[in-house]
Amino acid sequence: MTVAYKRLGDVATFVRGITFKPTDVVPAGTPSSVWCMRTKNVQGQVDLSDVWSVDSRFVKRSDQYLEEGDVLISSANSWNLVGKCCWIPRLGKASSFGGFVTALRGDVSQVNRRYLYRWFSSAHIQETARSFSRQTTNIANLDLKRCADLSVPLPPLAEQKRIAAVLDQVDALRAKRREAIALLDDLAQSTFLDMFGDPLTNPKGWPVLPFGEVCETRLGKMLDAKRETGRNSRPYLRNANVQWMRIDTTDLLEMDFGGKDKITYGLAPGDLMICEGGEPGRAAIWRGEVEDCYFQKALHRARPNVELARAEYLVWMLRILSLRGGLSDHVSTATISHLTGAKLKVLPIFLPPLGLQQEFASRLDAVEEMGERHELHLATLDELFESVQQRAFAGQLWDHEAA
């Protein structure tokens, strides 16, 4: 199918938001007020959990009211978020938007608005639009003039609608898979609480010990970023590599570690890696994913006494303590939040019988196996979605029908 291209600014309009002061925000439901969207509301879907309201007098033009089918864009934000966008559904209340966001409004006689959203939110266009941004000290501003010059592939309106529907269907499958993964996390949490009780209240009266008596703990090595790597160059973990329940080894850095460091800062399967800063207490189990790996000062290594605790039990203990605010008293916040070695060692944790911890670990294995299957399926759907996008916007989605 031959696809025509038109300049974005010829088929859609960028509408700038309203201006007001933070003191102009009024309580929700105030007479003559309107909703006002801001960058916080621009998520994968428009987030209505925390919407400001302002008096309607700040809306100077009728086009500054959001319409169903608008693409709301974060036009002034940090570099990694500028250009991020979401689809505006029927909101049910008069709504406008602030000066740090912009509405992209398609001309329905030329472009299907859902198609326009799918095109602008595609990875390639997002990356291109972001590259147009003007960077200041703390913020990046989307260059709307350059964005307006982007070329939009425009098959006939009926085909645009058909393409948008296909992309919506694949994206809905991705959303369901992500929801299933989130539910598995909830299942693991529920299993922990059912078996052991709330870590904050210890309703089952399990014996309590400080973390330092259950695990041998050590803070990682302070690294000199200026030091050249040489024959002793080894991969190491940093804070960014440790996520809840998993360790990401896709972008490991390397630095020199001497012979004595093998014992002091080396990792062994079963070690618990705990973030010192960033999100203090965030933890995952090292499974030996990379040979001869070390860890830097941003992380604690905790080696459980196998006669007292299983690593799987401890990581979920930390997870639920974190979710319920149980780590807050052990996090220092003088400058930035961090969990010192001393604070970690005295963290009280209750210890159910080892056999019960083992039963939890076995149940967790089954949950994680299901999670891995869902993750693989999601990765396949992500690849399919990307492929369909590329083919659709190149006019190749229906080539098989012409064969």
Side-chain angles (χ1 to χ4, degrees), residues 287-304:
R287 304 291 189 184
E289 290 90 339
V290 176
E291 187 177 354
D292 200 16
C293 192
Y294 297 76
F295 66 109
Q296 69 156 175
K297 189 179 183 295
L299 296 171
H300 299 280
R301 182 191 65 198
R303 286 184 171 165

Side-chain angles (χ1 to χ4, degrees), residues 174-289:
R174 295 199 304 168
K176 289 180 179 178
R177 194 58 59 180
R178 285 191 291 267
E179 182 180 354
I181 292 170
L183 288 174
L184 287 176
D185 184 76
D186 292 343
L187 175 60
Q189 292 181 45
S190 297
T191 301
F192 183 99
L193 293 171
D194 288 344
M195 293 181 68
F196 307 121
D198 189 337
L200 296 181
T201 59
N202 191 11
K204 300 191 178 185
W206 306 116
V208 178
L209 285 176
F211 193 86
E213 292 186 20
V214 179
C215 296
E216 172 199 331
T217 65
R218 176 176 289 277
L219 197 60
K221 184 175 182 178
M222 175 68 79
L223 300 179
D224 183 358
K226 298 179 181 178
R227 186 174 177 181
E228 294 285 339
T229 57
R231 62 186 180 87
N232 292 322
S233 178
R234 298 290 185 271
Y236 68 90
L237 297 182
R238 60 195 197 281
N239 188 288
N241 298 116
V242 177
Q243 304 301 315
W244 278 115
M245 310 306 160
R246 68 181 184 87
I247 294 179
D248 183 359
T249 60
T250 56
D251 63 342
L252 293 183
L253 302 180
E254 293 191 356
M255 190 63 70
D256 278 353
F257 286 87
K260 294 181 180 179
D261 290 337
K262 178 73 172 179
I263 296 175
T264 309
Y265 301 110
L267 298 177
D271 284 346
L272 201 59
M273 305 309 302
I274 304 170
C275 292
E276 188 264 352
E279 184 185 355
R282 188 174 67 227
I285 301 171
W286 176 251
R287 304 291 189 184
E289 290 90 339

Side-chain angles (χ1 to χ4, degrees), residues 18 24 26 185 199 230 232 278 372:
I18 64 176
D24 294 322
V26 298
D185 184 76
N232 292 322
E372 289 174 1

